[in-house]
Amino acid sequence: MDTDSYRRDFPALDRTVYGKPLIYLDNTATSQTPSCVVEAIRHAYYHSKANVHRGVHALSQEMTLLQEEARERVRGFINAADTAEIIFTRGTTEAINLVASSYGRLIPDGSEIIVSVMEHHADIVPWQLIGRGVTLKVIPMDDSGVLDLDAYRRLFSDKTAMVAVTHVSNVLGTVNPVEEITAVAHEHGVPVLIDGAQAVSHCAVDVRAIGCDFYVFSSHKMYGPTGVGVLYGRRELLEKMPPYQGGGEMIGHVTFEHTTFAELPFKFEAGTPDFVDIAAFRRAIDYVSSIGYDNIEAHERALLDYATERMTGEIPGLRIFGTAPGKDAIISFLIGDSHPYDVGMLLDKQGVAVRTGHHCAQPLMQRLGVEGIVRASFALYNTRSEVDAFISALSRAASMLA
Ligand code: PMP
Protein backbone atom coordinates (compact mmCIF):
# COMPACT_ATOMS: atom_id res chain seq x y z
CA MET A 1 0.00 0.00 0.00
CA ASP A 2 1.40 3.40 -1.00
CA THR A 3 0.94 5.06 2.38
CA ASP A 4 2.96 8.13 1.40
CA SER A 5 0.56 8.97 -1.38
CA TYR A 6 -2.47 8.48 0.91
CA ARG A 7 -0.86 10.70 3.55
CA ARG A 8 -0.97 13.56 1.07
CA ASP A 9 -4.76 13.31 1.19
CA PHE A 10 -4.72 14.28 4.89
CA PRO A 11 -3.42 17.86 5.30
CA ALA A 12 -3.74 17.66 9.11
CA LEU A 13 -0.90 15.11 9.18
CA ASP A 14 1.54 17.77 7.97
CA ARG A 15 1.28 19.94 11.04
CA THR A 16 3.66 20.11 13.94
CA VAL A 17 2.93 20.00 17.67
CA TYR A 18 5.39 21.77 20.00
CA GLY A 19 7.72 22.03 17.01
CA LYS A 20 7.69 18.25 16.43
CA PRO A 21 5.99 16.50 13.50
CA LEU A 22 2.55 15.32 14.55
CA ILE A 23 2.28 11.56 15.01
CA TYR A 24 -1.42 10.94 15.26
CA LEU A 25 -2.17 7.69 17.10
CA ASP A 26 -5.62 8.57 18.46
CA ASN A 27 -7.51 7.13 15.53
CA THR A 28 -9.86 5.09 17.67
CA ALA A 29 -11.32 8.31 19.10
CA THR A 30 -11.58 9.91 15.67
CA SER A 31 -9.67 9.60 12.42
CA GLN A 32 -8.35 12.45 10.31
CA THR A 33 -10.29 13.52 7.23
CA PRO A 34 -9.10 13.34 3.61
CA SER A 35 -9.30 16.39 1.33
CA CYS A 36 -12.00 14.82 -0.86
CA VAL A 37 -14.38 14.77 2.13
CA VAL A 38 -13.53 18.36 3.12
CA GLU A 39 -13.97 19.38 -0.51
CA ALA A 40 -17.44 17.76 -0.61
CA ILE A 41 -18.42 19.80 2.47
CA ARG A 42 -17.04 22.99 0.93
CA HIS A 43 -18.81 22.30 -2.35
CA ALA A 44 -22.16 21.72 -0.67
CA TYR A 45 -21.90 24.95 1.37
CA TYR A 46 -20.79 26.99 -1.64
CA HIS A 47 -23.11 25.57 -4.26
CA SER A 48 -25.96 23.31 -3.14
CA LYS A 49 -27.01 24.21 0.39
CA ALA A 50 -30.76 23.92 0.65
CA ASN A 51 -32.96 21.94 2.99
CA VAL A 52 -33.68 18.42 1.79
CA HIS A 53 -37.03 16.85 0.91
CA ARG A 54 -38.89 20.14 1.19
CA GLY A 55 -38.34 22.17 -1.93
CA VAL A 56 -39.40 22.13 -5.51
CA HIS A 57 -36.41 24.32 -6.37
CA ALA A 58 -33.21 23.09 -7.96
CA LEU A 59 -30.90 23.46 -4.98
CA SER A 60 -33.20 21.53 -2.69
CA GLN A 61 -33.54 18.78 -5.23
CA GLU A 62 -29.78 18.63 -5.74
CA MET A 63 -29.11 18.41 -2.01
CA THR A 64 -31.83 15.79 -1.58
CA LEU A 65 -30.27 13.73 -4.33
CA LEU A 66 -26.84 13.99 -2.67
CA GLN A 67 -28.27 12.86 0.65
CA GLU A 68 -30.22 9.97 -0.83
CA GLU A 69 -27.24 8.88 -2.93
CA ALA A 70 -25.27 8.76 0.31
CA ARG A 71 -27.95 6.54 1.83
CA GLU A 72 -27.69 4.17 -1.11
CA ARG A 73 -23.87 4.19 -0.73
CA VAL A 74 -24.19 3.25 2.94
CA ARG A 75 -26.59 0.45 2.03
CA GLY A 76 -24.10 -1.01 -0.41
CA PHE A 77 -21.19 -0.44 1.98
CA ILE A 78 -22.71 -2.71 4.66
CA ASN A 79 -24.70 -4.88 2.20
CA ALA A 80 -28.12 -4.05 3.65
CA ALA A 81 -31.09 -5.30 1.63
CA ASP A 82 -32.95 -2.01 1.35
CA THR A 83 -32.15 1.74 1.62
CA ALA A 84 -35.22 2.09 3.86
CA GLU A 85 -33.20 0.20 6.48
CA ILE A 86 -30.54 2.95 6.64
CA ILE A 87 -31.33 5.67 9.15
CA PHE A 88 -29.03 8.66 9.55
CA THR A 89 -28.29 9.69 13.13
CA ARG A 90 -25.73 11.94 14.84
CA GLY A 91 -23.49 8.97 15.52
CA THR A 92 -23.23 5.56 17.12
CA THR A 93 -24.40 6.93 20.45
CA GLU A 94 -27.60 8.38 19.05
CA ALA A 95 -28.25 5.23 17.02
CA ILE A 96 -28.10 3.04 20.15
CA ASN A 97 -30.23 5.51 22.08
CA LEU A 98 -32.77 5.38 19.26
CA VAL A 99 -33.05 1.59 19.46
CA ALA A 100 -33.02 1.51 23.28
CA SER A 101 -35.73 4.10 23.62
CA SER A 102 -37.91 2.96 20.72
CA TYR A 103 -37.50 -0.83 20.80
CA GLY A 104 -37.25 -0.47 24.59
CA ARG A 105 -40.92 0.58 24.62
CA LEU A 106 -41.89 -2.76 23.09
CA ILE A 107 -40.23 -4.97 25.72
CA PRO A 108 -41.89 -6.02 28.99
CA ASP A 109 -40.99 -4.58 32.41
CA GLY A 110 -38.16 -6.52 34.03
CA SER A 111 -36.61 -7.61 30.68
CA GLU A 112 -32.93 -8.52 30.48
CA ILE A 113 -30.44 -7.10 27.97
CA ILE A 114 -27.24 -9.06 27.35
CA VAL A 115 -24.14 -6.90 26.82
CA SER A 116 -20.45 -7.73 27.09
CA VAL A 117 -17.93 -6.64 29.71
CA MET A 118 -16.02 -4.70 27.04
CA GLU A 119 -18.87 -2.39 25.97
CA HIS A 120 -18.44 1.35 25.51
CA HIS A 121 -20.71 3.39 27.80
CA ALA A 122 -22.79 4.14 24.66
CA ASP A 123 -23.83 0.48 24.66
CA ILE A 124 -24.53 0.33 28.41
CA VAL A 125 -26.24 3.51 29.56
CA PRO A 126 -29.02 3.75 26.91
CA TRP A 127 -30.28 0.30 27.99
CA GLN A 128 -30.21 1.35 31.64
CA LEU A 129 -32.27 4.42 30.76
CA ILE A 130 -35.17 2.20 29.71
CA GLY A 131 -35.91 1.78 33.44
CA ARG A 132 -38.99 -0.31 34.31
CA GLY A 133 -36.80 -2.92 36.01
CA VAL A 134 -34.82 -3.69 32.83
CA THR A 135 -31.41 -5.10 33.83
CA LEU A 136 -28.12 -5.93 32.11
CA LYS A 137 -26.57 -9.40 31.97
CA VAL A 138 -22.88 -9.30 31.19
CA ILE A 139 -20.80 -11.66 29.01
CA PRO A 140 -17.43 -12.11 30.73
CA MET A 141 -14.05 -12.40 28.99
CA ASP A 142 -10.72 -14.11 29.65
CA ASP A 143 -7.53 -12.21 30.46
CA SER A 144 -6.54 -11.88 26.80
CA GLY A 145 -9.84 -10.11 26.00
CA VAL A 146 -11.75 -12.98 24.38
CA LEU A 147 -15.44 -13.25 25.26
CA ASP A 148 -16.57 -16.44 27.03
CA LEU A 149 -19.23 -17.76 24.67
CA ASP A 150 -20.19 -20.66 26.96
CA ALA A 151 -20.99 -18.15 29.67
CA TYR A 152 -22.88 -16.12 27.05
CA ARG A 153 -25.08 -19.11 26.19
CA ARG A 154 -25.95 -19.50 29.87
CA LEU A 155 -27.12 -15.88 30.21
CA PHE A 156 -30.32 -16.38 28.22
CA SER A 157 -33.60 -16.62 30.06
CA ASP A 158 -37.24 -16.15 29.12
CA LYS A 159 -36.73 -12.47 30.01
CA THR A 160 -33.93 -11.82 27.51
CA ALA A 161 -35.10 -9.06 25.17
CA MET A 162 -31.93 -7.97 23.32
CA VAL A 163 -28.25 -8.80 22.85
CA ALA A 164 -26.08 -5.71 22.33
CA VAL A 165 -22.39 -6.35 21.71
CA THR A 166 -19.51 -4.46 20.20
CA HIS A 167 -17.98 -5.76 16.97
CA VAL A 168 -14.50 -4.49 17.91
CA SER A 169 -13.46 -3.35 21.39
CA ASN A 170 -12.25 0.25 21.46
CA VAL A 171 -9.83 -0.66 24.28
CA LEU A 172 -8.68 -4.23 23.66
CA GLY A 173 -8.96 -4.34 19.88
CA THR A 174 -10.71 -7.72 20.19
CA VAL A 175 -12.76 -8.58 17.11
CA ASN A 176 -15.79 -10.40 18.49
CA PRO A 177 -17.39 -13.36 16.65
CA VAL A 178 -20.52 -11.39 15.85
CA GLU A 179 -21.93 -14.02 13.47
CA GLU A 180 -21.85 -16.68 16.19
CA ILE A 181 -23.13 -14.26 18.84
CA THR A 182 -26.04 -13.40 16.56
CA ALA A 183 -26.82 -17.02 15.69
CA VAL A 184 -26.99 -18.00 19.37
CA ALA A 185 -29.34 -15.10 20.16
CA HIS A 186 -31.58 -15.98 17.23
CA GLU A 187 -31.85 -19.58 18.48
CA HIS A 188 -33.56 -17.95 21.47
CA GLY A 189 -35.63 -15.63 19.28
CA VAL A 190 -33.75 -12.58 20.64
CA PRO A 191 -32.74 -9.65 18.38
CA VAL A 192 -29.13 -8.46 18.22
CA LEU A 193 -27.57 -5.01 18.00
CA ILE A 194 -23.93 -4.80 16.96
CA ASP A 195 -21.93 -1.68 17.84
CA GLY A 196 -19.73 -1.26 14.78
CA ALA A 197 -18.11 2.05 15.80
CA GLN A 198 -14.63 0.52 15.77
CA ALA A 199 -15.14 -2.05 13.05
CA VAL A 200 -16.03 0.06 10.02
CA SER A 201 -12.63 1.74 9.74
CA HIS A 202 -10.75 -1.56 9.82
CA CYS A 203 -12.76 -4.25 8.04
CA ALA A 204 -15.53 -4.79 5.53
CA VAL A 205 -18.93 -5.23 7.18
CA ASP A 206 -21.76 -7.33 5.74
CA VAL A 207 -24.85 -7.01 7.91
CA ARG A 208 -26.64 -9.81 6.09
CA ALA A 209 -23.70 -12.20 6.54
CA ILE A 210 -23.61 -11.29 10.25
CA GLY A 211 -27.37 -11.73 10.38
CA CYS A 212 -27.78 -9.02 13.03
CA ASP A 213 -30.97 -7.00 13.47
CA PHE A 214 -29.29 -3.66 14.13
CA TYR A 215 -25.81 -2.38 13.25
CA VAL A 216 -24.60 1.08 14.26
CA PHE A 217 -21.54 3.20 13.46
CA SER A 218 -20.16 6.74 13.19
CA SER A 219 -18.78 8.50 10.14
CA HIS A 220 -16.04 10.41 11.99
CA LYS A 221 -14.18 7.24 12.94
CA MET A 222 -13.92 6.14 9.32
CA TYR A 223 -12.43 9.25 7.72
CA GLY A 224 -15.83 10.95 7.34
CA PRO A 225 -17.27 14.16 8.79
CA THR A 226 -18.40 14.57 12.38
CA GLY A 227 -22.10 14.67 13.22
CA VAL A 228 -23.20 11.69 11.12
CA GLY A 229 -23.91 8.14 12.14
CA VAL A 230 -25.87 5.22 10.83
CA LEU A 231 -28.48 2.93 12.28
CA TYR A 232 -29.05 -0.11 10.13
CA GLY A 233 -32.16 -1.98 11.23
CA ARG A 234 -34.02 -4.90 9.69
CA ARG A 235 -37.16 -3.52 8.11
CA GLU A 236 -39.46 -5.89 9.93
CA LEU A 237 -38.27 -4.59 13.32
CA LEU A 238 -38.08 -0.93 12.30
CA GLU A 239 -41.68 -1.13 11.06
CA LYS A 240 -42.84 -2.27 14.50
CA MET A 241 -40.87 0.35 16.42
CA PRO A 242 -42.46 3.66 17.48
CA PRO A 243 -40.78 6.94 16.40
CA TYR A 244 -37.87 8.12 18.52
CA GLN A 245 -38.33 11.86 18.10
CA GLY A 246 -41.23 13.87 16.72
CA GLY A 247 -41.10 16.84 14.38
CA GLY A 248 -40.82 17.71 10.73
CA GLU A 249 -40.00 15.08 8.12
CA MET A 250 -41.12 12.07 10.20
CA ILE A 251 -44.86 12.60 9.75
CA GLY A 252 -47.51 11.46 7.32
CA HIS A 253 -50.30 13.81 8.38
CA VAL A 254 -50.67 15.97 11.49
CA THR A 255 -53.79 17.24 13.22
CA PHE A 256 -54.12 18.42 16.80
CA GLU A 257 -55.93 15.18 17.57
CA HIS A 258 -53.84 12.60 15.75
CA THR A 259 -50.62 12.21 13.74
CA THR A 260 -49.62 9.52 11.28
CA PHE A 261 -45.98 8.79 10.57
CA ALA A 262 -43.83 8.74 7.45
CA GLU A 263 -42.53 5.57 5.84
CA LEU A 264 -39.07 4.24 6.66
CA PRO A 265 -36.42 5.56 6.91
CA PHE A 266 -37.96 9.01 7.47
CA LYS A 267 -40.09 7.87 10.41
CA PHE A 268 -36.86 7.95 12.44
CA GLU A 269 -35.36 11.14 11.00
CA ALA A 270 -37.21 14.00 12.67
CA GLY A 271 -36.07 17.52 11.82
CA THR A 272 -33.43 18.78 9.42
CA PRO A 273 -30.75 16.14 9.03
CA ASP A 274 -27.04 16.98 8.82
CA PHE A 275 -27.38 16.82 5.06
CA VAL A 276 -24.07 18.47 4.16
CA ASP A 277 -22.08 16.02 6.24
CA ILE A 278 -24.22 13.10 5.10
CA ALA A 279 -23.41 14.00 1.48
CA ALA A 280 -19.71 14.26 2.34
CA PHE A 281 -19.81 10.94 4.21
CA ARG A 282 -20.42 9.31 0.86
CA ARG A 283 -16.97 10.55 -0.23
CA ALA A 284 -15.39 8.90 2.80
CA ILE A 285 -17.03 5.60 1.88
CA ASP A 286 -15.78 5.96 -1.68
CA TYR A 287 -12.32 6.82 -0.37
CA VAL A 288 -11.91 3.73 1.86
CA SER A 289 -13.52 1.54 -0.79
CA SER A 290 -11.05 2.75 -3.40
CA ILE A 291 -8.13 1.76 -1.17
CA GLY A 292 -9.76 -1.53 -0.22
CA TYR A 293 -10.16 -3.13 3.20
CA ASP A 294 -7.73 -5.94 2.38
CA ASN A 295 -5.00 -3.35 1.90
CA ILE A 296 -6.01 -1.33 4.96
CA GLU A 297 -6.17 -4.40 7.21
CA ALA A 298 -2.82 -5.75 6.02
CA HIS A 299 -1.14 -2.37 6.49
CA GLU A 300 -2.57 -1.80 9.98
CA ARG A 301 -1.75 -5.36 11.05
CA ALA A 302 1.87 -4.91 9.99
CA LEU A 303 2.07 -1.70 12.06
CA LEU A 304 0.39 -3.40 15.03
CA ASP A 305 2.79 -6.36 14.96
CA TYR A 306 5.85 -4.16 14.54
CA ALA A 307 4.82 -1.72 17.30
CA THR A 308 3.87 -4.54 19.70
CA GLU A 309 7.16 -6.34 19.16
CA ARG A 310 9.26 -3.23 19.68
CA MET A 311 7.29 -2.01 22.70
CA THR A 312 7.48 -5.43 24.37
CA GLY A 313 11.21 -5.68 23.76
CA GLU A 314 12.22 -2.12 24.61
CA ILE A 315 9.89 -0.60 27.21
CA PRO A 316 10.62 -1.79 30.77
CA GLY A 317 7.57 -2.43 32.93
CA LEU A 318 5.20 -2.45 29.93
CA ARG A 319 1.82 -4.14 30.33
CA ILE A 320 -0.39 -4.54 27.26
CA PHE A 321 -4.14 -5.00 27.75
CA GLY A 322 -5.81 -7.02 25.02
CA THR A 323 -3.93 -9.82 23.28
CA ALA A 324 -6.79 -11.65 21.55
CA PRO A 325 -5.78 -13.43 18.34
CA GLY A 326 -6.54 -11.36 15.23
CA LYS A 327 -7.12 -8.19 17.23
CA ASP A 328 -7.37 -4.82 15.52
CA ALA A 329 -4.63 -2.18 15.43
CA ILE A 330 -5.19 -0.85 18.94
CA ILE A 331 -2.58 -1.08 21.71
CA SER A 332 -3.72 -0.28 25.23
CA PHE A 333 -0.96 -0.26 27.80
CA LEU A 334 0.52 0.95 31.06
CA ILE A 335 4.16 1.43 32.05
CA GLY A 336 5.02 0.31 35.58
CA ASP A 337 3.08 2.35 38.11
CA SER A 338 3.06 5.48 35.95
CA HIS A 339 -0.21 7.32 35.66
CA PRO A 340 -1.60 7.06 32.08
CA TYR A 341 -2.09 10.82 32.02
CA ASP A 342 1.63 11.41 32.69
CA VAL A 343 2.61 9.04 29.89
CA GLY A 344 0.15 10.75 27.53
CA MET A 345 1.44 14.24 28.45
CA LEU A 346 5.08 13.27 27.92
CA LEU A 347 4.21 11.74 24.55
CA ASP A 348 2.23 14.83 23.56
CA LYS A 349 5.22 17.07 24.26
CA GLN A 350 7.11 14.96 21.71
CA GLY A 351 4.36 15.33 19.10
CA VAL A 352 2.71 11.95 19.68
CA ALA A 353 -1.07 12.01 20.14
CA VAL A 354 -2.44 9.06 22.13
CA ARG A 355 -5.53 8.81 24.32
CA THR A 356 -5.49 8.28 28.07
CA GLY A 357 -8.19 7.55 30.63
CA HIS A 358 -11.05 5.10 30.97
CA HIS A 359 -11.99 5.28 27.26
CA CYS A 360 -15.71 5.35 28.11
CA ALA A 361 -15.42 1.78 29.34
CA GLN A 362 -15.34 2.03 33.13
CA PRO A 363 -16.76 -1.48 33.73
CA LEU A 364 -13.96 -2.87 31.53
CA MET A 365 -11.37 -0.87 33.49
CA GLN A 366 -12.79 -2.43 36.63
CA ARG A 367 -12.46 -5.91 35.08
CA LEU A 368 -8.83 -5.12 34.19
CA GLY A 369 -8.19 -3.76 37.69
CA VAL A 370 -7.01 -0.34 36.51
CA GLU A 371 -8.30 3.23 36.68
CA GLY A 372 -7.19 4.11 33.20
CA ILE A 373 -4.97 3.12 30.32
CA VAL A 374 -2.88 4.66 27.52
CA ARG A 375 -4.10 3.77 24.03
CA ALA A 376 -2.27 4.04 20.71
CA SER A 377 -4.33 3.20 17.64
CA PHE A 378 -3.37 3.04 14.00
CA ALA A 379 -5.03 4.10 10.76
CA LEU A 380 -4.32 3.63 7.08
CA TYR A 381 -2.03 6.68 6.98
CA ASN A 382 0.32 5.73 9.82
CA THR A 383 3.80 4.56 8.89
CA ARG A 384 6.60 2.37 10.22
CA SER A 385 8.77 5.44 10.77
CA GLU A 386 5.99 6.93 12.91
CA VAL A 387 6.04 3.74 14.98
CA ASP A 388 9.81 4.22 15.37
CA ALA A 389 9.30 7.81 16.54
CA PHE A 390 6.53 6.68 18.90
CA ILE A 391 8.79 4.02 20.46
CA SER A 392 11.62 6.53 20.93
CA ALA A 393 9.21 9.00 22.54
CA LEU A 394 7.81 6.25 24.75
CA SER A 395 11.29 5.14 25.84
CA ARG A 396 12.10 8.72 26.78
CA ALA A 397 8.82 9.07 28.68
CA ALA A 398 9.41 5.75 30.46
CA SER A 399 12.90 6.73 31.59
CA MET A 400 11.66 10.12 32.82
CA LEU A 401 8.92 8.45 34.84
CA ALA A 402 11.09 5.63 36.21
N1 PMP B 1 -18.95 2.42 20.67
C1 PMP B 1 -17.63 2.27 20.55
C2 PMP B 1 -17.05 0.89 20.56
C3 PMP B 1 -16.81 3.39 20.43
O1 PMP B 1 -15.49 3.25 20.33
C4 PMP B 1 -17.40 4.68 20.42
C5 PMP B 1 -16.55 5.93 20.29
N2 PMP B 1 -15.43 5.96 21.13
C6 PMP B 1 -18.79 4.78 20.51
C7 PMP B 1 -19.53 3.63 20.64
C8 PMP B 1 -19.48 6.10 20.48
O2 PMP B 1 -19.32 6.69 19.23
P1 PMP B 1 -19.79 8.21 19.00
O3 PMP B 1 -19.14 9.00 20.08
O4 PMP B 1 -19.26 8.54 17.64
O5 PMP B 1 -21.27 8.24 19.08
Side-chain angles (χ1 to χ4, degrees), residues 91-93 120 122 166 168 170 195 197-198 218 220-221:
T92 306
T93 301
H120 188 281
T166 195
V168 173
N170 64 315
D195 173 354
Q198 293 303 337
S218 302
H220 70 95
K221 292 184 194 284

